Amino acid sequence: MPPWGPLLLLLLCPCVCALKICAFNAQHFGEKKVAKDHVLTVIVQILRRCDICLLQEVHDTKGLATAKLLGALNRPHTSDLFLSVSSPPLGRNAYVEQYVFVYRSDKVKVTDQYKYADNDPSNPDVFAREPYIIRVSLPSTALLDLVLVPQHTDPDTAAAEINALYDVFLDIRGRWRAENIMFLGDFNAGCKYLSKKKRSSLRLYSDLVFHWLIGDSADTTVRESTNCPYDRIVVYGKELQDIVHSATIYNFTRELGLSEAQALEVSDHYPVEVDLDGCERLLSSCSLIGLSLLAACGMGLSP
Ligand SMILES: *[C@@H]1O[C@H](CO)[C@@H](O)[C@H](O)[C@H]1NC(C)=O
């Protein structure tokens, strides 16, 4: 490849400036889990695909597991630097979980954050783990202001908690006048925890300004014996919707060639992820220039 080969690829490949946001219930993520090298390796492979990943079910009040994870992500020979934002431990009793956002510092700037108060007079303490909300800027896309709302519901109160995300939405709009908001995480939004009938009554579902990117037929569970769309991504806002390229689950069993048992050591959930388009205005001209360069390159190098 000529010295400007990598540049050529950059111009040809529109995905280079796109952005991937993921949500992964890493089932009881803590020191024990990251102590297993083969498990940590898989988690690193999963997270390296994402520019932002929301980890849920994190048990790491000392921050040691997250530090080890970042150390593995930021190996010396890699150029990109991953950073993290962790919520405080959240829960009603001794059982607590944290939300942890792991992100690429060259693609994502965290501009603000707060914990939802969860003290709405008509509906106090509805969340088992209230959203720890972050606001980011994504300079590689057209989106300079995006709010991310993490949620891991208690399965037994999933419907009430998903419904209350609408109050969180109003709170965010009032506080920041945010125009682009993404709700993501393990909502437990399916199977026995959320019937079709219940779901249709949820404000986040019935109000058509919200778009559910992971549909009801998705299976976000690792176990072969289960088929449930627990983990979801829901978006609000025109700018954001306009750059949604695709959304899917990441089947790491298949993609990384694992057995079911090996995959279950990592988690019982698959990550869900959304790809955003980047550099929209540049894209078509980039590809044209790239194609002509490739043609020129082909002619110059052929024997
Ligand atoms: C994930 O991949 C495995 C292995 O190919 C497959 O057996 C399983 O059905 C897939 N699960 C989902 C939810 O796609």
Side-chain angles (χ1 to χ4, degrees):
M1 201 186 271
W4 38 271
L7 177 67
L8 179 68
L9 284 179
L10 194 80
L11 290 171
L12 271 174
C13 176
C15 332
V16 168
C17 41
L19 194 115
K20 192 190 286 293
I21 301 179
C22 316
F24 183 27
N25 179 336
Q27 196 189 17
H28 223 91
F29 178 90
E31 287 174 53
K32 260 195 196 151
K33 190 158 268 191
V34 296
K36 295 179 191 157
D37 279 339
H38 59 290
V39 173
L40 181 60
T41 300
V42 173
I43 296 174
V44 164
Q45 283 174 297
I46 291 170
L47 293 201
R48 285 201 151 272
R49 306 174 68 257
C50 311
D51 296 297
I52 308 178
C53 184
L54 161 68
L55 292 173
Q56 305 139 75
E57 234 182 274
V58 174
H59 302 280
D60 190 32
T61 45
K62 291 190 202 134
L64 297 177
T66 305
K68 181 155 186 195
L69 174 64
L70 289 179
L73 282 165
N74 296 323
R75 283 184 303 254
H77 57 275
T78 58
S79 60
D80 29 37
L81 176 67
F82 286 86
L83 298 174
S84 68
V85 170
S86 300
S87 78
L90 302 165
R92 296 192 178 106
N93 43 44
Y95 180 81
V96 289
E97 294 183 5
Q98 290 159 276
Y99 299 115
V100 175
F101 291 94
V102 175
Y103 62 95
R104 263 178 226 275
S105 59
D106 59 333
K107 293 261 204 107
V108 180
K109 308 289 168 215
V110 177
T111 57
D112 215 338
Q113 52 193 283
Y114 80 102
K115 185 175 89 165
Y116 179 66
D118 198 14
N119 57 6
D120 191 306
S122 65
N123 198 11
D125 196 19
V126 60
F127 290 109
R129 298 163 278 268
E130 55 272 46
Y132 189 79
I133 298 153
I134 70 166
R135 192 176 191 186
V136 296
S137 175
L138 310 172
S140 68
T141 72
L143 210 55
L144 296 183
D145 188 37
L146 171 66
V147 175
L148 298 174
V149 184
Q151 184 52 37
H152 177 210
T153 66
D154 178 333
D156 296 329
T157 52
E161 293 188 49
I162 299 169
N163 200 34
L165 287 175
Y166 190 84
D167 299 315
V168 178
F169 167 75
L170 296 178
D171 193 59
I172 293 167
R173 296 273 292 157
R175 177 183 293 248
W176 286 334
R177 311 244 167 283
E179 297 294 343
N180 297 288
I181 300 173
M182 182 182 292
F183 305 85
L184 68 174
D186 176 8
F187 293 3
N188 285 296
C191 288
K192 66 177 179 216
Y193 304 127
L194 188 67
S195 66
K196 264 196 188 139
K197 189 166 165 233
K198 248 189 190 165
R199 191 180 57 218
S200 59
S201 70
L202 304 177
R203 292 171 290 177
L204 212 64
Y205 203 83
S206 57
D207 189 332
L208 298 179
V209 299
F210 301 104
H211 294 261
W212 289 59
L213 300 183
I214 304 293
D216 298 329
S217 58
D219 176 10
T220 70
T221 65
V222 170
R223 277 197 184 82
E224 284 291 339
S225 55
T226 54
N227 186 340
C228 304
Y230 289 148
D231 302 75
R232 303 291 190 127
I233 299 175
V234 177
V235 295
Y236 165 88
K238 179 165 186 329
E239 275 179 293
L240 173 56
Q241 269 172 61
D242 283 352
I243 61 167
V244 167
H245 182 81
S246 56
T248 186
I249 68 156
Y250 178 62
N251 183 333
F252 60 80
T253 312
R254 181 164 55 222
E255 299 303 327
L256 304 178
L258 306 178
S259 67
E260 185 183 13
Q262 286 170 326
L264 284 170
E265 271 195 271
V266 178
S267 179
D268 55 353
H269 287 253
Y270 286 129
V272 287
E273 46 182 52
V274 55
D275 280 326
L276 302 181
D277 287 325
C279 317
E280 254 181 314
R281 273 149 300 169
L282 288 175
L283 205 61
S284 43
S285 50
C286 274
S287 306
L288 266 184
I289 296 168
L291 277 175
S292 25
L293 281 176
L294 185 65
C297 159
M299 280 185 268
L301 292 180
S302 52

